Amino acid sequence: MNANRKVTVLGTGIMGAAMARNLLKAGHEVHVWNRDPAKTVPMADAGAQVALSPAEAVRGAEVVLTMLYDFAAVSDVIRQAAPGVRPGTAWVQSTTVGVRDAAALADLAAEVGLELVEAPVSGTREPAESGQLLVIAAAPEALRERVAPVLDAIGSRTIWTGQDPAAGSATRLKLVVNSWVIAAANAAGEILALAEALEVDPRQFFDLVKGGGLDLPFLRAKAELILEDRLEPASFGVDTSLKDAHLILDAAREHGLRLDGAEAAAARLERVAAAGRSKQDLAAAYFASTGQDA
């Protein structure tokens, strides 16, 4: 069977653009659309075909991939795309949404004529650009085979969590993963702020934990962004992580949980976003501790 697909990518921000490039490298025919046309110019240079509307973009597609900001954006764009959808087209939905949104998206897919694959991804800009994302997915067995070449192009591994995308099993795992990401990034900022306040060289801390159980590559990576003032372009922006933090808290409350750490992390992100750092990397949570611009 020919593994090449005609794929439409709706949303060409940091993640969507990287996915589209890797699909092109894998030999797929790629069509793209973005609300901001300027963000599709590099895609055209890379070999993608640019559409002026979602409906034009999905016309004739075998697989539609959405990588947008949130549930509202996904719903809006898919409804705009509906006139161009060929019934039975596979829809790889990679936007991070809430637990309750999974069922709503399944209903929308049925309404429009798409076959939904729940497929949020774990990873930031660098793994997205290198095709090393971890894909967290749920779909019936027959649909998995159809989208496998697409998932293989954007990620290094696909973890299947269930057969029914309406159940939200992939979304639930993604929110658990992101709760850890947000917590670790906030911890990195607090560690550096405390070290500086106590006149401790932060690198001494990393030398101390090197090679042990407390030595986390992610912690080091976020700390380096702060120490080297490399918060832009963001791998995982403050605005996006704040959106996800609220999705995590909503899910926790629905299950009777109180996540004090997650609540504090969200409050920290609110402060740095209000200080004009919403487009910087999540590591900018550091400034919630120092009081500089936050």
Side-chain angles (χ1 to χ4, degrees):
M1 179 185 293
N2 187 349
N4 291 341
R5 301 283 188 268
K6 182 176 181 180
V7 185
T8 294
V9 177
L10 300 174
T12 56
I14 292 172
M15 300 293 286
M19 291 171 155
R21 288 192 184 93
N22 284 312
L23 288 164
L24 287 165
K25 290 176 184 177
H28 299 289
E29 178 184 334
V30 179
H31 296 244
V32 298
W33 172 86
N34 196 82
R35 200 179 302 275
D36 179 359
K39 291 186 177 180
T40 62
V41 174
M43 296 291 91
D45 294 341
Q49 298 184 44
V50 176
L52 299 179
S53 71
E56 177 189 340
V58 303
R59 194 162 287 119
E62 296 173 88
V63 179
V64 174
L65 187 153
T66 47
M67 179 50 86
L68 299 159
Y69 180 68
D70 58 8
F71 169 75
V74 174
S75 299
D76 177 54
V77 170
I78 289 298
R79 290 191 182 282
Q80 291 184 54
V85 168
R86 180 175 59 188
T89 299
W91 174 19
V92 175
Q93 203 306 97
S94 293
T95 308
T96 301
V97 297
V99 172
R100 287 181 175 270
D101 299 329
L105 289 176
D107 289 342
L108 178 59
E111 176 187 336
V112 173
L114 293 165
E115 295 189 22
L116 180 62
V117 179
E118 187 187 25
V121 296
S122 178
T124 53
R125 178 169 53 87
E126 292 83 358
E129 290 175 348
S130 61
Q132 295 298 302
L133 293 167
L134 295 178
V135 182
I136 308 167
E141 290 288 348
L143 193 51
R144 296 181 186 187
E145 184 177 346
R146 286 168 53 195
V147 300
V150 172
L151 302 185
D152 289 346
I154 65 174
S156 61
R157 182 161 58 109
T158 299
I159 301 169
W160 292 101
T161 59
Q163 297 273 342
D164 182 8
S169 59
T171 291
R172 285 181 271 126
L173 177 54
K174 175 62 190 295
L175 293 181
V176 171
V177 170
N178 274 16
S179 69
W180 158 240
V181 170
I182 293 168
N186 272 282
E190 290 193 340
I191 288 166
L192 292 185
L194 180 62
E196 291 169 357
L198 300 182
E199 299 183 350
V200 172
D201 182 350
R203 299 189 188 279
Q204 287 186 325
F205 164 74
F206 290 109
D207 287 342
L208 179 67
V209 301
K210 185 176 181 179
L214 298 177
D215 190 6
L216 305 178
F218 181 83
L219 192 66
R220 286 179 176 271
K222 291 304 177 187
E224 290 295 335
L225 294 181
I226 300 166
L227 293 170
E228 298 175 7
D229 192 22
R230 291 189 290 111
L231 295 171
E232 296 182 58
S235 287
F236 185 22
V238 167
D239 53 355
T240 306
S241 58
L242 181 56
K243 180 262 297 185
D244 290 356
H246 285 300
L247 293 177
I248 291 161
L249 289 171
D250 288 344
R253 292 185 189 112
E254 286 183 16
H255 288 79
L257 297 180
R258 178 171 177 176
L259 303 182
D260 293 327
E263 289 179 5
R268 289 167 59 81
L269 292 172
E270 293 277 10
R271 295 205 301 276
V272 295
R277 296 182 179 275
S278 63
K279 297 302 179 183
Q280 292 186 343
D281 191 85
L282 169 62
Y286 159 80
F287 293 101
S289 293
T290 67
Q292 301 174 42
D293 301 326

